[in-house]
Coordinates of all heavy atoms in Angstrom, one line a residue:
V1 N 23.5 -2.3 -14.4 CA 22.9 -3.0 -15.5 C 22.3 -4.2 -14.9 O 22.9 -5.0 -14.1 CB 23.9 -3.3 -16.5 CG1 23.4 -4.3 -17.6 CG2 24.5 -2.1 -17.1
R2 N 21.0 -4.6 -15.3 CA 20.3 -5.8 -14.8 C 20.4 -6.8 -15.9 O 20.0 -6.6 -17.0 CB 18.9 -5.4 -14.4 CG 18.1 -6.7 -13.9 CD 17.9 -6.5 -12.4 NE 17.2 -7.7 -11.9 CZ 17.6 -8.2 -10.8 NH1 18.5 -7.7 -10.1 NH2 16.9 -9.2 -10.3
V3 N 20.9 -8.1 -15.6 CA 21.0 -9.2 -16.5 C 20.4 -10.4 -15.8 O 21.1 -10.8 -14.8 CB 22.4 -9.4 -17.0 CG1 22.4 -10.7 -17.9 CG2 23.0 -8.2 -17.7
G4 N 19.3 -10.9 -16.3 CA 18.7 -12.0 -15.6 C 18.3 -11.7 -14.2 O 17.6 -10.7 -14.0
D5 N 18.8 -12.5 -13.1 CA 18.4 -12.2 -11.8 C 19.5 -11.3 -11.0 O 19.4 -11.2 -9.8 CB 18.3 -13.6 -11.0 CG 17.0 -14.3 -11.5 OD1 16.1 -13.7 -12.0 OD2 17.1 -15.5 -11.4
F6 N 20.5 -10.9 -11.7 CA 21.5 -10.1 -11.1 C 21.7 -8.7 -11.5 O 21.4 -8.4 -12.7 CB 22.8 -10.8 -11.2 CG 22.9 -12.2 -10.6 CD1 22.7 -13.3 -11.3 CD2 23.1 -12.3 -9.2 CE1 22.7 -14.6 -10.7 CE2 23.1 -13.5 -8.6 CZ 22.9 -14.7 -9.3
D7 N 22.1 -7.8 -10.7 CA 22.6 -6.4 -11.1 C 24.1 -6.5 -11.1 O 24.8 -7.2 -10.4 CB 22.2 -5.4 -10.0 CG 20.7 -5.1 -9.9 OD1 20.1 -5.4 -11.0 OD2 20.2 -4.7 -8.9
Y8 N 24.7 -5.8 -12.1 CA 26.1 -5.7 -12.3 C 26.5 -4.2 -12.2 O 25.8 -3.4 -12.8 CB 26.5 -6.2 -13.7 CG 26.2 -7.7 -13.9 CD1 25.1 -8.1 -14.3 CD2 27.2 -8.6 -13.6 CE1 24.9 -9.5 -14.5 CE2 27.1 -9.9 -13.8 CZ 25.9 -10.4 -14.2 OH 25.7 -11.7 -14.3
L9 N 27.7 -4.0 -11.7 CA 28.4 -2.6 -11.7 C 29.0 -2.6 -13.1 O 29.8 -3.5 -13.5 CB 29.3 -2.5 -10.6 CG 28.9 -1.9 -9.4 CD1 30.1 -1.9 -8.4 CD2 28.3 -0.6 -9.5
Y10 N 28.6 -1.7 -13.9 CA 29.1 -1.5 -15.3 C 30.2 -0.5 -15.4 O 29.9 0.6 -15.2 CB 27.9 -1.2 -16.3 CG 28.4 -1.2 -17.7 CD1 28.6 -2.4 -18.4 CD2 28.6 -0.1 -18.4 CE1 29.0 -2.4 -19.7 CE2 28.9 0.0 -19.7 CZ 29.2 -1.1 -20.4 OH 29.6 -1.2 -21.7
T11 N 31.4 -0.9 -15.7 CA 32.5 0.0 -15.6 C 33.1 0.1 -17.0 O 34.3 0.1 -17.2 CB 33.5 -0.5 -14.6 OG1 34.0 -1.8 -15.0 CG2 33.1 -0.5 -13.2
G12 N 32.3 0.0 -18.1 CA 32.8 0.1 -19.4 C 32.8 -1.2 -20.2 O 32.7 -1.4 -21.3
F13 N 32.7 -2.3 -19.3 CA 32.5 -3.7 -19.8 C 31.8 -4.4 -18.7 O 31.8 -4.1 -17.5 CB 33.8 -4.4 -20.2 CG 34.7 -4.6 -19.0 CD1 34.7 -5.9 -18.4 CD2 35.6 -3.7 -18.5 CE1 35.5 -6.1 -17.3 CE2 36.4 -3.9 -17.5 CZ 36.4 -5.2 -16.9
L14 N 31.0 -5.5 -19.1 CA 30.3 -6.3 -18.1 C 31.2 -7.2 -17.3 O 31.7 -8.2 -17.9 CB 29.2 -7.1 -18.8 CG 28.2 -7.7 -17.9 CD1 27.4 -6.7 -17.0 CD2 27.2 -8.5 -18.6
N15 N 31.5 -6.8 -16.1 CA 32.4 -7.6 -15.2 C 31.6 -8.6 -14.3 O 30.9 -8.2 -13.4 CB 33.3 -6.7 -14.4 CG 34.3 -7.4 -13.6 OD1 34.2 -8.7 -13.4 ND2 35.3 -6.7 -13.1
K16 N 31.6 -9.9 -14.6 CA 30.7 -10.8 -14.0 C 31.2 -10.9 -12.6 O 30.3 -11.4 -11.7 CB 30.7 -12.1 -14.7 CG 30.2 -12.0 -16.1 CD 29.2 -13.1 -16.4 CE 28.6 -12.8 -17.8 NZ 27.6 -13.6 -18.1
S17 N 32.3 -10.6 -12.1 CA 32.7 -10.6 -10.7 C 32.0 -9.5 -9.9 O 32.0 -9.6 -8.6 CB 34.2 -10.6 -10.5 OG 34.7 -9.3 -10.9
L18 N 31.4 -8.6 -10.6 CA 30.7 -7.5 -9.8 C 29.2 -7.7 -10.0 O 28.5 -6.7 -10.1 CB 31.2 -6.2 -10.5 CG 32.6 -5.7 -10.2 CD1 32.9 -4.4 -10.9 CD2 32.9 -5.7 -8.8
A19 N 28.8 -8.9 -9.8 CA 27.3 -9.3 -9.8 C 26.8 -9.4 -8.4 O 27.4 -10.0 -7.5 CB 27.1 -10.6 -10.6
F20 N 25.6 -8.7 -8.2 CA 25.0 -8.7 -6.9 C 23.5 -8.8 -7.0 O 23.0 -8.7 -8.1 CB 25.4 -7.3 -6.1 CG 26.8 -7.2 -6.0 CD1 27.6 -6.5 -6.9 CD2 27.5 -7.7 -4.9 CE1 28.9 -6.2 -6.8 CE2 28.8 -7.5 -4.8 CZ 29.6 -6.9 -5.7
N21 N 22.9 -9.2 -5.9 CA 21.4 -9.4 -5.9 C 20.8 -8.0 -6.2 O 19.8 -7.9 -7.1 CB 20.9 -9.9 -4.6 CG 21.2 -11.3 -4.3 OD1 21.9 -11.5 -3.4 ND2 20.8 -12.2 -5.2
H22 N 21.2 -6.9 -5.6 CA 20.7 -5.6 -5.8 C 21.8 -4.5 -5.7 O 22.7 -4.7 -4.8 CB 19.6 -5.3 -4.8 CG 18.4 -6.2 -4.8 ND1 17.5 -6.1 -5.9 CD2 18.0 -7.3 -4.1 CE1 16.6 -7.1 -5.7 NE2 16.8 -7.7 -4.5
I23 N 21.7 -3.6 -6.6 CA 22.6 -2.4 -6.5 C 21.7 -1.2 -6.6 O 20.9 -1.0 -7.4 CB 23.6 -2.4 -7.8 CG1 24.4 -3.6 -7.8 CG2 24.4 -1.1 -7.7 CD1 25.4 -3.7 -9.0
M24 N 21.9 -0.4 -5.5 CA 21.2 0.9 -5.4 C 22.1 2.1 -5.3 O 23.0 2.1 -4.6 CB 20.3 0.9 -4.1 CG 19.2 -0.2 -4.1 SD 18.7 -0.6 -2.5 CE 19.9 -1.8 -1.9
P25 N 21.9 3.1 -6.2 CA 22.7 4.2 -6.2 C 22.5 5.1 -4.9 O 21.4 5.3 -4.5 CB 22.3 5.1 -7.5 CG 21.1 4.5 -7.9 CD 20.9 3.1 -7.3
V26 N 23.6 5.5 -4.3 CA 23.6 6.3 -3.1 C 23.9 7.8 -3.5 O 23.4 8.7 -2.9 CB 24.6 5.8 -2.1 CG1 24.7 6.8 -0.8 CG2 24.2 4.4 -1.6
S27 N 24.8 7.9 -4.4 CA 25.2 9.2 -5.0 C 25.6 9.0 -6.4 O 25.4 7.9 -7.0 CB 26.3 9.9 -4.1 OG 27.5 9.2 -4.4
I28 N 26.1 10.1 -7.1 CA 26.5 9.9 -8.5 C 27.7 9.0 -8.6 O 27.9 8.4 -9.7 CB 26.8 11.3 -9.0 CG1 26.9 11.2 -10.6 CG2 28.2 11.9 -8.5 CD1 26.7 12.5 -11.3
D29 N 28.4 8.7 -7.6 CA 29.6 7.9 -7.6 C 29.6 6.7 -6.7 O 30.5 5.9 -6.8 CB 30.9 8.7 -7.3 CG 32.2 8.0 -7.6 OD1 32.2 7.3 -8.7 OD2 33.0 8.1 -6.8
L30 N 28.6 6.5 -5.8 CA 28.6 5.5 -4.8 C 27.4 4.6 -5.0 O 26.3 5.1 -5.3 CB 28.6 6.0 -3.4 CG 29.9 6.8 -3.0 CD1 29.8 7.4 -1.7 CD2 31.1 5.9 -3.1
Y31 N 27.6 3.3 -4.8 CA 26.5 2.3 -5.0 C 26.4 1.4 -3.7 O 27.4 0.8 -3.4 CB 26.7 1.5 -6.2 CG 26.6 2.3 -7.4 CD1 27.8 2.9 -7.9 CD2 25.4 2.5 -8.0 CE1 27.8 3.7 -9.1 CE2 25.3 3.4 -9.2 CZ 26.5 3.9 -9.8 OH 26.5 4.7 -10.8
L32 N 25.2 1.2 -3.2 CA 24.9 0.3 -2.1 C 24.7 -1.0 -2.7 O 23.9 -1.2 -3.6 CB 23.7 0.7 -1.3 CG 23.3 -0.1 -0.1 CD1 24.3 -0.1 0.9 CD2 22.0 0.3 0.4
L33 N 25.4 -2.0 -2.3 CA 25.3 -3.4 -2.8 C 24.7 -4.3 -1.7 O 24.9 -4.3 -0.6 CB 26.7 -4.0 -3.1 CG 27.5 -3.1 -4.0 CD1 28.9 -3.7 -4.1 CD2 26.9 -2.9 -5.3
H34 N 23.8 -5.2 -2.2 CA 23.0 -6.1 -1.4 C 23.3 -7.6 -1.9 O 22.9 -7.9 -3.1 CB 21.6 -5.8 -1.3 CG 20.8 -6.7 -0.4 ND1 19.5 -7.1 -0.8 CD2 21.1 -7.2 0.9 CE1 19.1 -8.0 0.2 NE2 19.9 -8.0 1.1
E35 N 23.9 -8.4 -1.1 CA 24.2 -9.7 -1.6 C 23.9 -10.8 -0.4 O 24.7 -10.6 0.6 CB 25.6 -9.8 -2.0 CG 26.0 -11.2 -2.5 CD 25.3 -11.6 -3.8 OE1 24.8 -10.7 -4.6 OE2 25.1 -12.8 -4.0
S36 N 23.1 -11.6 -0.5 CA 22.8 -12.7 0.6 C 22.7 -12.0 2.0 O 23.3 -12.4 2.9 CB 24.0 -13.7 0.5 OG 24.0 -14.3 -0.7
R37 N 21.8 -11.1 2.1 CA 21.4 -10.4 3.3 C 22.6 -9.6 3.9 O 22.6 -9.2 5.1 CB 21.0 -11.4 4.3 CG 19.7 -12.0 4.0 CD 19.1 -12.7 5.1 NE 19.0 -14.1 4.7 CZ 18.8 -15.1 5.5 NH1 18.8 -15.0 6.7 NH2 18.6 -16.3 5.0
L38 N 23.6 -9.3 3.1 CA 24.8 -8.5 3.5 C 24.9 -7.2 2.6 O 24.5 -7.4 1.5 CB 26.1 -9.3 3.5 CG 26.1 -10.5 4.4 CD1 27.5 -11.2 4.2 CD2 26.0 -10.0 5.9
F39 N 25.4 -6.2 3.2 CA 25.5 -4.9 2.4 C 26.9 -4.5 2.4 O 27.7 -4.8 3.3 CB 24.7 -3.8 3.2 CG 23.2 -4.1 3.1 CD1 22.7 -4.7 4.1 CD2 22.5 -3.6 2.0 CE1 21.3 -5.0 4.2 CE2 21.1 -3.9 2.0 CZ 20.5 -4.5 3.1
G40 N 27.3 -3.7 1.4 CA 28.6 -3.0 1.2 C 28.4 -1.9 0.3 O 27.3 -1.6 -0.2
L41 N 29.5 -1.2 0.0 CA 29.5 0.0 -0.9 C 30.7 0.0 -1.9 O 31.8 -0.4 -1.5 CB 29.7 1.2 0.0 CG 29.3 2.5 -0.5 CD1 27.8 2.8 -0.8 CD2 29.8 3.7 0.3
Y42 N 30.4 0.2 -3.2 CA 31.3 0.3 -4.2 C 31.3 1.7 -4.8 O 30.2 2.4 -4.7 CB 31.1 -0.8 -5.3 CG 31.8 -2.0 -5.0 CD1 31.5 -2.8 -3.9 CD2 32.6 -2.7 -6.0 CE1 32.1 -4.1 -3.7 CE2 33.2 -3.8 -5.7 CZ 32.9 -4.5 -4.6 OH 33.5 -5.8 -4.4
N43 N 32.4 2.2 -5.5 CA 32.2 3.4 -6.3 C 32.0 3.0 -7.7 O 31.9 1.9 -8.1 CB 33.4 4.2 -6.2 CG 34.7 3.6 -6.7 OD1 34.7 2.6 -7.4 ND2 35.9 4.2 -6.3
A44 N 31.8 4.0 -8.6 CA 31.4 3.9 -10.0 C 32.5 3.1 -10.8 O 32.2 2.6 -11.9 CB 31.0 5.1 -10.6
Q45 N 33.7 3.1 -10.3 CA 34.8 2.5 -11.0 C 34.9 1.0 -10.6 O 35.8 0.2 -11.1 CB 36.2 3.1 -10.7 CG 36.3 4.5 -11.2 CD 35.5 5.6 -10.5 OE1 35.4 5.5 -9.3 NE2 34.9 6.4 -11.3
G46 N 34.0 0.5 -9.8 CA 34.0 -0.8 -9.3 C 34.9 -1.2 -8.1 O 35.2 -2.3 -7.9
E47 N 35.4 -0.1 -7.5 CA 36.4 -0.3 -6.4 C 35.6 -0.5 -5.1 O 34.6 0.2 -4.8 CB 37.3 0.9 -6.3 CG 38.1 1.1 -7.4 CD 38.8 2.4 -7.5 OE1 38.3 3.4 -7.0 OE2 39.9 2.5 -8.0
N48 N 36.0 -1.4 -4.3 CA 35.4 -1.6 -2.9 C 35.7 -0.5 -2.0 O 36.7 -0.2 -1.7 CB 35.9 -3.0 -2.4 CG 35.3 -3.5 -1.3 OD1 34.3 -2.9 -0.7 ND2 35.7 -4.6 -0.7
I49 N 34.6 0.1 -1.5 CA 34.7 1.1 -0.6 C 34.5 0.6 0.9 O 35.2 0.8 1.7 CB 33.7 2.3 -0.8 CG1 34.0 2.9 -2.2 CG2 33.9 3.4 0.2 CD1 35.3 3.5 -2.5
I50 N 33.4 -0.1 1.0 CA 33.0 -0.8 2.3 C 32.8 -2.2 1.9 O 31.9 -2.5 1.0 CB 31.8 -0.2 3.0 CG1 32.0 1.3 3.4 CG2 31.4 -1.0 4.2 CD1 30.9 2.0 3.9
P51 N 33.5 -3.2 2.5 CA 33.3 -4.6 2.1 C 31.8 -5.1 2.3 O 31.1 -4.7 3.2 CB 34.2 -5.4 3.1 CG 35.1 -4.3 3.6 CD 34.4 -3.1 3.6
V52 N 31.4 -6.0 1.4 CA 30.0 -6.6 1.4 C 30.0 -7.7 2.6 O 30.2 -8.8 2.3 CB 29.6 -7.2 0.1 CG1 28.1 -7.7 0.2 CG2 29.6 -6.1 -0.9
R53 N 29.9 -7.2 3.8 CA 29.9 -8.2 4.9 C 29.1 -7.6 6.1 O 29.2 -8.2 7.3 CB 31.3 -8.4 5.4 CG 32.1 -7.3 5.9 CD 33.4 -7.8 6.3 NE 34.2 -6.7 6.9 CZ 35.5 -6.6 6.9 NH1 36.2 -7.5 6.4 NH2 36.1 -5.5 7.5
Y54 N 28.3 -6.6 6.0 CA 27.5 -6.1 7.1 C 26.0 -6.3 6.9 O 25.5 -6.3 5.8 CB 27.9 -4.5 7.2 CG 29.4 -4.3 7.5 CD1 30.3 -3.9 6.5 CD2 29.8 -4.5 8.8 CE1 31.6 -3.7 6.8 CE2 31.2 -4.3 9.1 CZ 32.0 -3.9 8.1 OH 33.4 -3.7 8.4
H55 N 25.4 -6.5 8.1 CA 24.0 -6.7 8.1 C 23.2 -5.3 7.9 O 22.0 -5.3 7.5 CB 23.5 -7.2 9.4 CG 24.0 -8.6 9.6 ND1 24.7 -9.1 10.6 CD2 24.0 -9.7 8.7 CE1 25.1 -10.3 10.5 NE2 24.7 -10.8 9.4
K56 N 23.8 -4.2 8.2 CA 23.3 -2.9 8.1 C 24.2 -2.0 7.5 O 25.4 -2.0 7.9 CB 22.8 -2.5 9.5 CG 22.2 -1.2 9.6 CD 21.8 -0.8 11.0 CE 21.3 0.6 11.1 NZ 21.0 0.9 12.5
L57 N 23.9 -1.0 6.7 CA 24.7 0.0 6.1 C 23.8 1.3 5.8 O 22.9 1.1 5.0 CB 25.4 -0.4 4.9 CG 26.6 0.5 4.4 CD1 27.6 -0.4 3.6 CD2 26.2 1.6 3.7
E58 N 24.1 2.4 6.6 CA 23.2 3.6 6.5 C 24.1 4.8 6.3 O 25.1 4.9 7.0 CB 22.3 3.7 7.6 CG 21.2 2.6 7.7 CD 20.4 2.9 9.0 OE1 20.7 3.8 9.8 OE2 19.4 2.2 9.2
L59 N 23.7 5.7 5.4 CA 24.3 7.0 5.3 C 23.8 7.8 6.6 O 22.7 7.9 6.8 CB 23.9 7.7 4.1 CG 24.4 9.0 3.9 CD1 26.0 9.1 3.9 CD2 23.8 9.7 2.5
S60 N 24.9 8.4 7.2 CA 24.6 9.2 8.4 C 25.4 10.5 8.4 O 26.5 10.5 8.7 CB 24.8 8.5 9.7 OG 24.5 9.3 10.9
Q61 N 24.8 11.6 7.9 CA 25.5 12.9 7.7 C 26.6 12.7 6.6 O 26.4 12.4 5.5 CB 25.9 13.5 9.0 CG 24.7 13.9 9.8 CD 25.1 14.5 11.1 OE1 26.2 14.5 11.5 NE2 24.1 14.9 11.9
S62 N 27.9 12.8 7.1 CA 29.0 12.7 6.2 C 29.8 11.3 6.3 O 30.9 11.2 5.8 CB 29.9 13.8 6.4 OG 30.4 13.7 7.7
Y63 N 29.2 10.3 6.9 CA 29.8 9.0 7.0 C 28.8 7.9 6.9 O 27.5 8.2 6.8 CB 30.5 8.9 8.4 CG 29.7 9.2 9.6 CD1 28.9 8.2 10.2 CD2 29.6 10.5 10.1 CE1 28.1 8.4 11.2 CE2 28.7 10.8 11.2 CZ 28.0 9.6 11.8 OH 27.1 9.9 12.8
F64 N 29.2 6.7 6.9 CA 28.3 5.6 6.8 C 28.4 4.7 8.1 O 29.4 4.6 8.7 CB 28.7 4.7 5.7 CG 28.5 5.2 4.3 CD1 29.4 6.0 3.7 CD2 27.2 5.1 3.7 CE1 29.2 6.5 2.4 CE2 27.0 5.7 2.5 CZ 28.0 6.4 1.9
Q65 N 27.2 4.4 8.7 CA 27.2 3.5 9.8 C 27.0 2.1 9.3 O 26.1 1.9 8.5 CB 26.0 3.9 10.7 CG 25.9 3.0 11.9 CD 24.8 3.4 12.9 OE1 23.9 4.2 12.5 NE2 24.8 2.8 14.0
V66 N 27.8 1.2 9.9 CA 27.7 -0.3 9.4 C 27.3 -1.0 10.8 O 27.6 -0.6 11.8 CB 28.9 -0.8 8.9 CG1 29.2 -0.1 7.5 CG2 30.1 -0.7 9.8
G67 N 26.6 -2.1 10.5 CA 26.3 -3.0 11.7 C 26.5 -4.5 11.3 O 26.2 -4.8 10.2
F68 N 27.0 -5.2 12.3 CA 27.2 -6.6 12.2 C 26.7 -7.2 13.5 O 27.3 -7.1 14.6 CB 28.7 -6.9 12.1 CG 28.9 -8.3 11.7 CD1 28.6 -8.9 10.4 CD2 29.4 -9.2 12.7 CE1 28.8 -10.1 10.2 CE2 29.7 -10.5 12.4 CZ 29.4 -11.0 11.1
F69 N 25.5 -7.9 13.4 CA 24.8 -8.3 14.6 C 24.5 -7.2 15.5 O 24.0 -6.2 15.2 CB 25.5 -9.6 15.2 CG 25.4 -10.8 14.4 CD1 26.6 -11.2 13.6 CD2 24.2 -11.5 14.2 CE1 26.5 -12.4 12.8 CE2 24.2 -12.6 13.4 CZ 25.3 -13.0 12.7
N70 N 25.1 -7.3 16.8 CA 24.9 -6.3 17.8 C 26.0 -5.2 17.9 O 26.1 -4.5 18.8 CB 24.6 -6.8 19.1 CG 23.3 -7.5 19.2 OD1 22.3 -7.2 18.5 ND2 23.3 -8.6 20.0
S71 N 26.9 -5.2 16.9 CA 28.0 -4.4 16.8 C 28.0 -3.4 15.8 O 27.5 -3.7 14.7 CB 29.3 -5.3 16.7 OG 30.4 -4.7 16.2
F72 N 28.3 -2.1 16.1 CA 28.2 -1.0 15.1 C 29.6 -0.4 14.8 O 30.4 -0.3 15.7 CB 27.2 0.0 15.5 CG 25.8 -0.5 15.5 CD1 25.3 -1.1 16.8 CD2 25.0 -0.5 14.4 CE1 24.0 -1.6 16.8 CE2 23.7 -1.0 14.4 CZ 23.2 -1.5 15.6
G73 N 29.8 0.2 13.7 CA 31.0 0.9 13.3 C 30.7 2.0 12.3 O 29.6 2.2 11.9
Y74 N 31.7 2.7 11.9 CA 31.5 3.8 11.0 C 32.7 3.8 9.9 O 33.8 3.4 10.2 CB 31.6 5.0 11.7 CG 30.5 5.2 12.7 CD1 30.8 4.8 14.1 CD2 29.2 5.6 12.5 CE1 29.8 4.8 15.0 CE2 28.3 5.6 13.4 CZ 28.5 5.3 14.7 OH 27.5 5.2 15.6
Y75 N 32.4 4.3 8.8 CA 33.4 4.5 7.6 C 33.1 5.9 7.1 O 32.0 6.3 7.0 CB 33.0 3.4 6.5 CG 33.6 2.0 6.6 CD1 32.8 1.1 7.3 CD2 34.9 1.7 6.2 CE1 33.3 -0.2 7.5 CE2 35.3 0.4 6.3 CZ 34.6 -0.5 7.0 OH 35.1 -1.8 7.1
S76 N 34.2 6.4 6.6 CA 34.1 7.7 5.9 C 33.6 7.3 4.4 O 33.6 6.1 4.0 CB 35.4 8.4 5.8 OG 36.3 7.6 4.9
A77 N 33.2 8.3 3.6 CA 32.8 8.1 2.2 C 33.9 7.6 1.3 O 33.5 7.1 0.3 CB 32.2 9.4 1.7
T78 N 35.2 7.6 1.8 CA 36.2 7.1 1.0 C 36.6 5.7 1.3 O 37.5 5.1 0.9 CB 37.5 8.1 1.1 OG1 37.8 8.1 2.5 CG2 37.2 9.4 0.5
G79 N 35.9 5.1 2.4 CA 36.2 3.8 2.8 C 37.1 3.7 4.1 O 37.6 2.6 4.4
L80 N 37.5 4.8 4.6 CA 38.4 4.8 5.8 C 37.6 4.3 7.0 O 36.6 5.0 7.3 CB 39.0 6.2 6.1 CG 39.9 6.4 7.3 CD1 41.2 5.5 7.1 CD2 40.2 7.8 7.5
P81 N 38.0 3.3 7.7 CA 37.3 2.8 9.0 C 37.4 3.8 10.0 O 38.5 4.2 10.3 CB 37.9 1.5 9.3 CG 38.7 1.0 8.1 CD 39.1 2.3 7.3
L82 N 36.3 4.2 10.6 CA 36.3 5.2 11.7 C 36.0 4.6 13.0 O 36.0 5.2 14.0 CB 35.3 6.3 11.4 CG 35.5 7.1 10.1 CD1 34.4 8.0 9.8 CD2 36.8 7.8 10.1
G83 N 35.6 3.3 13.0 CA 35.2 2.5 14.1 C 34.6 1.3 13.5 O 33.4 1.3 13.2
N84 N 35.3 0.2 13.4 CA 34.8 -0.9 12.5 C 34.4 -2.1 13.4 O 35.2 -2.5 14.2 CB 35.9 -1.3 11.6 CG 35.4 -2.3 10.6 OD1 34.3 -2.6 10.5 ND2 36.4 -2.9 9.9
P85 N 33.1 -2.6 13.3 CA 32.8 -3.8 14.1 C 33.6 -4.9 13.4 O 34.0 -4.9 12.3 CB 31.3 -4.0 13.8 CG 31.0 -3.2 12.6 CD 32.0 -2.1 12.5
R86 N 33.9 -5.9 14.2 CA 34.7 -7.0 13.8 C 34.0 -8.3 13.3 O 33.9 -9.2 14.1 CB 35.8 -7.4 14.9 CG 36.5 -6.2 15.4 CD 37.7 -5.9 14.5 NE 38.6 -4.9 15.2 CZ 38.6 -3.7 14.7 NH1 37.9 -3.3 13.7 NH2 39.5 -2.8 15.4
P87 N 33.5 -8.4 12.1 CA 32.9 -9.6 11.7 C 33.9 -10.7 11.6 O 35.0 -10.5 11.0 CB 32.2 -9.3 10.4 CG 33.0 -8.1 9.9 CD 33.6 -7.4 11.0
N88 N 33.6 -11.9 12.0 CA 34.5 -13.1 11.8 C 34.2 -13.8 10.6 O 33.2 -14.0 10.1 CB 34.3 -14.0 13.1 CG 34.7 -13.2 14.3 OD1 35.6 -12.5 14.3 ND2 34.1 -13.6 15.4

């Protein structure tokens, strides 16, 4: 849901804590979030799958590749870290 300059994940009510610059659907249940040049992934229930702290987040076959500066890592579609870069 777009309200003013922000996109919100709508989970039955408008939760202002789930406001982001941009929300893009990845699948029927997953949403790519973009906030202040960082990316993350939430599900349709508003649960954090991949924290919004990576400079890059791409779907690669059955997992997600994340990047933080020159470091790369991977997450499963359920949010399990498969090789996580360590942002400070």
Side-chain angles (χ1 to χ4, degrees):
V1 173
R2 183 108 181 134
V3 177
D5 293 333
F6 295 99
D7 287 338
Y8 293 88
L9 273 178
Y10 185 72
T11 59
F13 67 96
L14 190 62
N15 184 342
K16 298 224 176 192
S17 68
L18 296 178
F20 300 94
N21 292 118
H22 298 287
I23 298 175
M24 296 164 274
V26 174
S27 71
I28 196 161
D29 189 45
L30 296 175
Y31 297 90
L32 179 67
L33 308 173
H34 181 222
E35 180 68 27
S36 302
R37 295 190 237 164
L38 298 175
F39 294 92
L41 193 74
Y42 273 59
N43 65 17
Q45 291 76 39
E47 298 168 328
N48 187 3
I49 303 298
I50 299 175
V52 181
R53 65 178 180 204
Y54 297 104
H55 295 125
K56 177 181 176 182
L57 194 154
E58 294 181 352
L59 177 61
S60 181
Q61 296 177 355
S62 61
Y63 56 87
F64 291 92
Q65 180 182 9
V66 295
F68 188 75
F69 290 106
N70 292 329
S71 155
F72 293 91
Y74 302 92
Y75 279 87
S76 73
T78 60
L80 178 68
L82 304 174
N84 189 8
R86 307 275 188 254
N88 295 328

